Amino acid sequence: MTPWAGADAGALATHPLITAVPFFVPTFIVAAVIAVVVWRDRHRGDDPADEPGGTPAAGAGADTGTGGGGPGGH
Amino acid sequence: MAVAGGALGDASRLAPRAPEEAKPAGGAALDQILIASGGAAALTAALLLLGWGHRTGRITLLTRLAALSERGPGRGMPGWAALPSPVALVSLLVALLGMYWDISLHISHGRDEGPLANLAHYPILIGLFGIFTAGVLAVVLPRGERPGRACVRITRDWHAPAGGVLLAGAGFYALLGFPLDDVWHRIFGQDVTLWGPTHLMLIGGAGLSLVAMMILEREGRAAGAERGGAVSAPRARYVRRVMLCGGLLIGLSVFQAEYDFGVPQFRLVHQPLLIALAAGCALVAARLWCGRGGAVLAVVFYMLVRGGVSVLVGPVIGELWASVPLYFAEAVLVEVAALALARRPLALGAVAGALIGTAGFAAEYAWTQVAFRLPWTPDIAAEGVLMAVAGGVAGGLCGALLAEGLQGRLPRAAIARTLFGGAVLAVSAAVANGLVITVPDGPSATVTLTGVRGDAASRTAHARVAFSPAGTVDGPAWVAMTGWQGEGLHVESLIHEGDGVYRTREPIPLHGQWKTLIRVHDGRALAGVPVYLPADPAIGAKELPAPERFTRAVQSERSILQRELKSDVPGWLWLLCSSVVLLCTLALVVSLGWGTARIARRIPAPVPGAAPADADETVKAAP
């Protein structure tokens, strides 16, 4: 299991982290994107709902999911 | 920047690589970064595109997949719970296989030579990424509906199930371990041990993702029951829950892997603690959440999966064999205790835990005699039982709290938090106790080689070991000859010939990349005597040959087993880095507790006597 068989000459020894990059970088970016979405939503404040009429997702106001009312699906 | 790069740079600038070239010990390269970055960009784009496309309605793939998943075993649950489940299941299996394979490779070959040399990293990474993706699916899927009463708000029009958020969080935490691992190695040198703090993040994230999946299952079932429509068969529900609990047992057992392979770098008493902890938590939860027989069937699932992984890693891939704790006795004990205590979950947790710590300990003791490379000995009986009882009771209480939370019946917050906090403290204290190690100062061992065979490249011999003073070792936990990292593993308990004298059963390897040492463990003493160590230019270590007769001091084995560790790192730095890992871990554990409490509060069990239309059938499942 020699890593150097056929490896290009002059390449420095590599590190297991390089293999991991394609997996943890997307994870961090996606998590960051969702975090930004949440942050922007919270900082938009309690503006009254102004979505177009057809969206069934029009949740009631700016509550934070306090579950008194039934499920969102009408 | 190049802390270890100096040595690395020298090694690489030397003449062309010979077959037995030096192994690098801590650098990073630039060439592969392009490929890695390309892969990262592709996966990022895929996830973001699918997510954005789904939420804006432009891409219907996820909607169609979710609809598909609502048939079959996912019936009765909405797509946002039904689709992530199989994704997470397959991911966990892949990650588990990768982990045991990777551990085996490090034991038999030593530290990584480079990313492409260790194939086992790929299934680990793919599996952990799959867990994260399953969580993201659950978060992104719900459109036009609130996914259950315990959902969390992303935006005004976007709510996510709590279990989905936690599942993504567990995957994120696990993958965070990879870059932190790199930082750790740069500071402290490569730690070839399972219980490096950053390694524990990888394992813990995967294992605890099972709790997130359980929460998601509960949210899905409750939401499915509320909206009507197809109902899942009780048997499918039972099987699903048994698999989740069995999965939790597996996840919690990964921490024992060094003991499974026979190369534990810590005191033996940790093993009964960890076994009892895993059994208490997962099996009590199984009995309470699945119903009668849940504990036993969870162990059956565990045996199939863990046994399957051992068979794949050992005989099939050709790596080492990982033994498996039996757990059946503990399951039977839980079931028996439940005959009397099923309706008193906290009492069941405590009593079953105590039984696991005593009778269960005895059963595993017997099992290790036949199944493990380093069986338990009378030396650890007293302390082992105490550790096992602590682990069993703590685990049992946590398992009971988890099961009750999943059914909407958590006790009062004050009680639940006290019990949970107490359990965490008890386990921490037990682990700390196990970590108190003494190294004998003064004794030495005289080793005489006999039956030396082979030339320098294939040298083996038998050995007779005489400790001085003879009373150095008295009824030990183990006196073993261990050779590893020479493309194989050699572990055997030495035969006690007489007063302080031991001898080998089989020839020991004294050539190539093998690191061979005598390991002594007696009470709190944990030490070793190096026999043969190869030269290791990358870390500036010279060869330690094995002459036909030599006398060496009994010494700390850490520097023998983990030669790559840097010895000049200030203690405060270790404390700081460990604290970072501890904080991340606490964040995950507390989040899971928060999630359990949230669904217990928002999706409570129906009050007996009332007959709400959206009664969750799970209440009928647990007798």
Side-chain angles (χ1 to χ4, degrees):
Chain A
M1 222 186 247
T2 51
W4 314 118
D8 22 6
L12 290 174
T14 50
H15 189 279
L17 185 66
I18 307 296
T19 345
V21 159
F23 298 98
F24 74 75
V25 165
T27 302
F28 294 171
I29 293 180
V30 169
V33 165
I34 297 181
V36 165
V37 170
V38 172
W39 185 86
R40 278 167 52 178
D41 172 78
R42 299 299 186 269
H43 276 73
R44 208 163 274 150
D46 293 8
D47 25 327
D50 57 351
E51 56 277 1
T55 319
D63 71 305
T64 48
T66 46
H74 310 293
Chain B
M1 198 51 147
V3 179
L8 182 63
D10 289 330
S12 67
R13 258 183 267 121
L14 286 175
R17 302 205 169 275
E20 280 278 357
E21 73 279 314
K23 287 199 283 187
L30 312 167
D31 251 35
Q32 315 291 334
I33 287 186
L34 276 177
I35 305 174
S37 303
L43 277 177
T44 308
L47 275 187
L48 288 178
L49 200 62
L50 267 181
W52 171 84
H54 174 75
R55 295 228 57 92
T56 56
R58 286 186 173 86
I59 298 181
T60 57
L61 172 65
L62 290 185
T63 314
R64 281 180 280 137
L65 284 175
L68 252 182
S69 70
E70 288 185 19
R71 314 191 197 132
R75 241 166 43 134
M77 294 200 297
W80 48 261
L83 181 60
S85 296
V87 173
L89 170 69
V90 171
S91 302
L92 279 166
L93 290 174
V94 169
L96 180 74
L97 174 66
M99 282 181 192
Y100 274 89
W101 186 10
D102 187 53
I103 295 169
S104 167
L105 276 172
H106 283 296
I107 289 175
S108 60
H109 287 74
R111 65 179 180 271
D112 280 326
E113 298 182 27
L116 306 178
N118 192 337
L119 276 180
H121 279 199
Y122 288 103
I124 298 178
L125 287 162
I126 293 171
L128 293 181
F129 186 71
I131 293 171
F132 175 74
T133 302
V136 169
L137 280 175
V139 165
V140 157
L141 272 171
R143 279 187 71 216
E145 58 164 337
R146 294 259 184 107
R149 297 202 218 140
C151 62
V152 295
R153 168 182 163 150
I154 309 283
T155 72
R156 217 168 33 209
D157 320 305
W158 181 7
H159 290 75
V165 172
L166 291 171
L167 187 57
F172 177 88
Y173 164 85
L175 282 165
L176 181 61
F178 274 92
L180 288 185
D181 195 41
D182 185 53
V183 173
W184 189 280
H185 291 175
R186 286 169 193 277
I187 299 177
F188 301 101
Q190 276 194 296
D191 52 341
V192 185
T193 175
L194 183 66
W195 289 5
T198 49
H199 303 161
L200 294 176
M201 290 177 71
L202 304 174
I203 301 169
L208 292 177
S209 72
L210 266 307
V211 177
M213 287 174 67
M214 291 174 176
I215 294 174
L216 185 63
E217 200 265 5
R218 164 67 169 177
E219 286 179 286
R221 287 261 314 117
E226 275 189 7
R227 75 176 183 183
V231 163
S232 69
R235 181 166 303 170
R237 189 174 60 227
Y238 186 82
V239 168
R240 197 165 54 225
R241 293 183 173 186
V242 160
M243 288 171 68
L244 285 169
C245 293
L248 183 63
L249 183 64
I250 296 169
L252 293 175
S253 301
V254 178
F255 294 102
Q256 306 155 25
E258 280 192 348
Y259 296 88
D260 298 339
F261 282 108
V263 209
Q265 300 194 39
F266 298 86
R267 287 209 296 137
L268 190 54
V269 291
H270 277 120
Q271 195 180 9
L273 167 69
L274 293 171
I275 291 177
L277 178 63
C281 187
L283 298 181
V284 168
R287 174 59 184 80
L288 287 171
W289 194 42
C290 310
R292 263 191 225 118
V296 172
L297 289 174
V299 174
V300 170
F301 179 75
Y302 157 88
M303 273 301 175
L304 285 172
V305 172
R306 247 312 257 113
V309 165
S310 283
V311 167
L312 275 174
V313 170
V316 173
I317 295 181
E319 270 298 321
L320 304 171
W321 174 259
S323 304
V324 170
L326 191 52
Y327 284 132
F328 269 118
E330 290 90 325
V332 167
L333 289 167
V334 170
E335 297 282 353
V336 164
L339 291 175
L341 292 171
R343 292 188 194 284
R344 300 178 53 200
L346 293 179
L348 176 65
V351 169
L355 286 173
I356 287 172
T358 50
F361 172 84
E364 297 288 354
Y365 188 106
W367 176 246
T368 62
Q369 307 303 310
V370 300
F372 281 77
R373 286 194 178 92
L374 290 175
W376 296 356
T377 65
D379 185 58
I380 66 156
E383 194 184 352
V385 167
L386 290 174
M387 296 278 264
V389 168
V393 172
L397 286 171
C398 288
L401 287 172
L402 174 62
E404 289 302 281
L406 289 170
Q407 295 174 86
R409 287 195 298 252
L410 260 189
R412 254 185 13 251
I415 297 182
R417 280 182 203 155
T418 308
L419 287 174
F420 184 57
V424 169
L425 279 175
V427 172
S428 306
V431 169
N433 168 59
L435 290 176
V436 174
I437 295 176
T438 61
V439 178
D441 186 22
S444 63
T446 302
V447 179
T448 313
L449 298 182
T450 61
V452 179
R453 282 210 177 85
D455 59 359
S458 59
R459 193 161 177 258
T460 65
H462 276 280
R464 172 172 279 109
V465 180
F467 289 101
S468 159
T472 301
V473 174
D474 183 23
W478 67 60
V479 176
M481 184 70 71
T482 296
W484 70 339
Q485 300 188 12
E487 295 187 24
L489 175 67
H490 174 105
V491 174
E492 53 155 336
S493 297
L494 298 179
I495 302 172
H496 189 197
E497 273 195 339
D499 227 11
V501 177
Y502 293 81
R503 68 174 171 85
T504 56
R505 302 165 199 267
E506 299 186 13
I508 60 180
L510 301 166
H511 60 268
Q513 294 301 308
W514 283 95
K515 298 174 185 171
T516 305
L517 70 156
I518 303 161
R519 303 189 63 198
V520 179
H521 179 28
D522 187 2
R524 288 195 182 276
L526 188 63
V529 180
V531 174
Y532 171 79
L533 295 170
D536 198 343
I539 58 173
K542 297 198 297 253
E543 176 185 345
L544 184 69
E548 301 240 346
R549 188 183 156 88
F550 59 89
T551 300
R552 291 181 183 144
V554 173
Q555 53 193 272
S556 160
E557 52 173 24
R558 198 144 172 267
S559 52
I560 312 171
L561 290 169
Q562 297 186 52
R563 265 173 128 195
E564 297 84 352
L565 284 181
K566 300 184 190 168
S567 49
D568 54 349
V569 185
W572 66 262
L573 190 55
W574 184 88
L575 214 55
L576 175 70
C577 296
S578 302
S579 304
V580 170
V581 174
L582 183 64
L583 277 171
C584 295
T585 309
L586 281 176
L588 177 69
V589 170
V590 167
S591 305
L592 292 172
W594 164 87
T596 306
R598 183 179 176 90
I599 58 160
R601 210 170 48 238
R602 300 286 179 89
I603 313 177
V607 176
D614 56 355
D616 188 357
E617 295 99 294
T618 55
V619 176
K620 298 194 205 111

